[in-house]
Amino acid sequence: MTGIGVGVIEGGWEFVWGAYGASAVILIGYAVSIHRRYRAERRRTGQGAR
Amino acid sequence: MATAVMDTKTSDTSTPYMVAGAGLLLLVVGSYWGLAYAPRETYMGDVQRIMYVHVPTAWNAMLAFTFAFGCAIASLIRGGYRWDTRLEASMEVGVVLSTLLCIQGAIWAKPTWGVWWDWDPRLTTTAVLVLAFSGIIALRSFVDDPGRRAVWSAVAAIIAYVDVPIVYFSVKWWNSLHQMQSTPETVSKAFHWPLRINAIGILLLMWGLIALRARIAALRLERQLQPPPEAA
């Protein structure tokens, strides 16, 4: 197909994996950072870590 | 200002962990559905599968900032530090989600628009949103007095929130490369479920993370508000 508005994108799985990979790394990485900061803060305030 | 922060000693910590865990599980299910079962989109092909994480991230990022806006108003009206810790938490989670939103959008834009980034109204207003809330979070660390910090960051968050409706309406107000908002009527039914499952997944994950992050802020504040030890 040719022309503006009628193109079809072929392939592109590397972009799909890139987007899902970035999402997994950022969301899991942030969740782990929250868990570690929470544990550290509880230790500092003498409430122990869970 | 009242010194009540949060009952950090007795508050249940297992609930936020369970909620966040359920969110992650739903995200795995929704993503697998979007990658393996949902059909290819007619024009965008497989690249459209990025929408199953991009759109739910966008919804929830805006929701996190809306919650921050509510916390800012509650903090100013009710005083105390409880709403301030929630404000700090929701702003940070909102910044993480909107940064991820920009990354996902850039990865989607390259094969569809031919560029990673364009100074288009939707993208520009979203970048402004990330920078505004990042600035508030960064500046909070420079104010030592918790009372003053709570008041000015609530005011700054309310001002920064003005950009959220601008982000939403930017595609309607100005010529934009970014497509208009979709509705259930404009999206094929085959695409609904992965979108909905991931939206609920990110919502639960966000809820759990905001609750835990608010507890971190409350514990820090508790230490800060403790009277200094008396000299021997």
Side-chain angles (χ1 to χ4, degrees), chain B residues 84-98:
Chain B
D84 180 59
T85 57
R86 290 172 182 162
L87 169 65
E88 183 181 316
S90 49
M91 285 195 300
E92 188 180 287
V93 172
V95 166
V96 170
L97 288 179
S98 47

Side-chain angles (χ1 to χ4, degrees), chain B residues 66-78:
Chain B
T66 303
F67 183 63
F69 175 71
C71 292
I73 289 175
S75 175
L76 289 176
I77 292 172
R78 303 193 60 175

Side-chain angles (χ1 to χ4, degrees), chain B:
Chain B
M1 182 176 273
T3 53
V5 181
M6 183 187 281
D7 192 356
T8 53
K9 289 185 180 68
T10 57
S11 55
D12 174 32
T13 52
S14 59
T15 307
Y17 276 108
M18 284 194 298
V19 171
L24 274 177
L25 192 68
L26 277 178
L27 260 175
V28 171
V29 173
S31 300
Y32 184 73
W33 192 323
L35 291 169
Y37 288 112
R40 291 175 87 242
E41 203 269 343
T42 310
Y43 298 109
M44 281 191 275
D46 290 314
V47 172
Q48 179 270 342
R49 296 179 199 277
I50 295 172
M51 290 299 116
Y52 300 130
V53 281
H54 182 64
V55 175
T57 304
W59 289 340
N60 284 294
M62 297 307 126
L63 203 59
F65 288 132
T66 303
F67 183 63
F69 175 71
C71 292
I73 289 175
S75 175
L76 289 176
I77 292 172
R78 303 193 60 175
Y81 295 115
R82 184 166 294 184
W83 290 103
D84 180 59
T85 57
R86 290 172 182 162
L87 169 65
E88 183 181 316
S90 49
M91 285 195 300
E92 188 180 287
V93 172
V95 166
V96 170
L97 288 179
S98 47
T99 304
L100 173 61
L101 175 69
C102 292
I103 293 169
Q104 294 163 340
I107 296 172
W108 176 85
K110 182 63 180 167
T112 50
W113 295 349
V115 288
W116 296 101
W117 183 266
D118 184 82
W119 292 104
D120 146 277
R122 171 58 71 83
L123 276 63
T124 307
T125 51
T126 307
V128 168
L129 194 65
V130 175
L131 290 174
F133 278 98
S134 301
I136 298 170
I137 294 166
L139 286 174
R140 274 177 71 89
S141 58
F142 291 105
V143 183
D144 290 329
D145 177 19
R148 282 183 56 216
R149 184 173 58 214
V151 170
W152 84 250
S153 50
V155 171
I158 290 168
I159 294 168
Y161 184 77
V162 170
D163 193 32
V164 170
I166 296 175
V167 169
Y168 183 80
F169 288 110
S170 58
V171 288
K172 294 183 178 176
W173 289 344
W174 299 294
N175 285 327
S176 179
L177 256 179
H178 197 284
Q179 59 267 54
M180 299 273 274
Q181 291 90 347
S182 301
T183 65
E185 287 73 40
T186 59
V187 174
S188 169
K189 279 199 170 70
F191 303 145
H192 285 184
W193 280 107
L195 268 176
R196 285 172 180 165
I197 294 169
N198 277 351
I200 296 167
I202 297 179
L203 177 70
L204 294 180
L205 180 63
M206 179 179 77
W207 179 3
L209 292 178
I210 288 176
L212 283 170
R213 182 61 185 82
R215 281 161 206 236
I216 295 170
L219 286 166
R220 274 186 196 151
L221 201 54
E222 242 178 39
R223 268 195 299 125
Q224 205 178 354
L225 293 171
Q226 272 171 2
E230 284 179 30

